[in-house]
Amino acid sequence: MAIIKEEPEENKEAKPSNETTPQPSSSSSPKPVDSHSPTANAFMFWAYFTLFIALITPIFVFLSSLSPQDDKSWFLSLPNDLRLHYSKGRTIKVQTQPNGSPIEVFAIENGPRDAETVLLIHGLGCSSYSFRHVIKSLGLNGIRGVAIDLPGSGFSDKSSLEEDERLGGVFGKIWDIYSDIKEKGLFWGFDQLVEQGRIPYEEFEIRVSPRKSLKPLKLGSEEMSHVIGQVIDSMNLSPVHLVLHDSALGMSANWVSENAGLVSSLTLVDSTPRSVALPLSLLELPIVREFVLGSSFLYTRTVRFCCSRLIESSVTEAHRVLLKGRDGRRTIVGVGKDLNYTYDLGKWAGMETVKSVPIQVLWSSSWSEEWSKEGHWVLEALPHATFIKHSGGRWPQEDAADEISETIMRFVSSLPPSTRQVEEEPIPEHIQILFADATRGDHHHDLHHGHGGHEHHHHSHGVHNGDHGHIHEPNYMDAYGLI
């Protein structure tokens, strides 16, 4: 019987094989790549970094494109009703900070300039557009109605050019690289990596030139009060009948208490320092704000639920466009955060200066039980005020404009006439130069034509029957470069 012995495993491996395995020559085989070498690590880092920047750049570009950056394009995309509203108004420059750049505030008015003047100030989320029917009604009834867009709202400035603070260290370099890739193209960094083997990040260390960008205005109640005072002075509105809507009371109270002698009367339209009709939290929460402001249907539902039940969808669309464009949302949210919601209304009303001002309160009678209780709280804090209910919502200038304007007119007419001095507004210097050039041109034309020119001059100054009462004013270039 044959005995089979198994050789140990070690002997098997040690046993030489009869087959010869060809060894690769050193000249034909590539050298092994060390994945841990510094060159490979640097290449992989910049490759992944460039890919990461290429992926997130479209997201940033998309988010920044949600609000148009070009003012003229934004203006041309507005509904006709809004453009018509803008064409009837003008802009006024005001100073929010002593050493800051001036900003422009939009104002619109209707009615005789020598009549009683009513200044209507809107709350957060609204604009002078919401008072379009009220100022028209006031003007037709012989009262000068003026409405403005507070900074951050409507057609007023919503941002200012500010110098960016440079980030230091690694984050500053990454931000600079991202900015260059965004400016020069998505694959600029990868091209630099292929051509040079690196992204020239060292160049960022020697950058000293500051970058400037448009940033939302940061205005609190005091700054807003200061702006209102400048508008009243610039337009020569005092003594003025103030109409404060919604959150405008919190933004105007300081100016009223300090300048009570310039206030003929005060009308509060569903205005309380403790709340804002439009829920600013919806405009602050990410994703939610994109849905609300990005959808005309959702924004209309929001306004009808919180502000006015009978407001038309075309009107809410106008408010949505004004709020969404030119960084208005962020400015409004910032102003809302800075409002003092614990303002002591009773203490303010008890000031000797405020006691001398006639006050009436217009309050919604059908909005909600909670809102009616808020109205009683306002009345208790203002014991000398007249309390009148209206049938509209918390934005009654939209669904009860005639009722609001009639109540204001009755209140203004019941008070002693205001003594005010009307000053003619000076003609701008550049318009004076145009007039002077035109006059010199006409004089030269007359001298050149002799007697014939004299005859033409006589006819040009005659008034034809169809031209009586028409004064042709020069065209002004507006803030958007349009005539």
Side-chain angles (χ1 to χ4, degrees), residues 382-397:
L382 305 172
H384 65 287
T386 303
F387 192 82
I388 300 175
K389 295 182 179 181
H390 63 77
S391 61
R394 294 188 64 175
W395 286 8
Q397 67 271 27

Side-chain angles (χ1 to χ4, degrees), residues 81-102:
D81 197 25
L82 279 180
R83 284 188 283 174
L84 178 62
H85 178 77
Y86 178 80
S87 66
K88 296 178 181 179
R90 58 170 174 163
T91 55
I92 302 168
K93 288 190 176 182
V94 298
Q95 200 85 17
T96 57
Q97 298 177 356
N99 299 326
S101 301

Side-chain angles (χ1 to χ4, degrees), residues 30-71:
K31 294 181 179 181
V33 179
D34 186 3
S35 60
H36 299 287
S37 65
T39 304
N41 289 338
F43 182 86
M44 292 299 295
F45 170 78
W46 288 115
Y48 282 118
F49 179 79
T50 303
L51 179 61
F52 173 73
I53 294 295
L55 292 175
I56 68 172
T57 298
I59 299 176
F60 279 96
V61 173
F62 171 74
L63 293 177
S64 62
S65 64
L66 291 179
S67 58
Q69 299 296 320
D70 181 36
D71 286 345

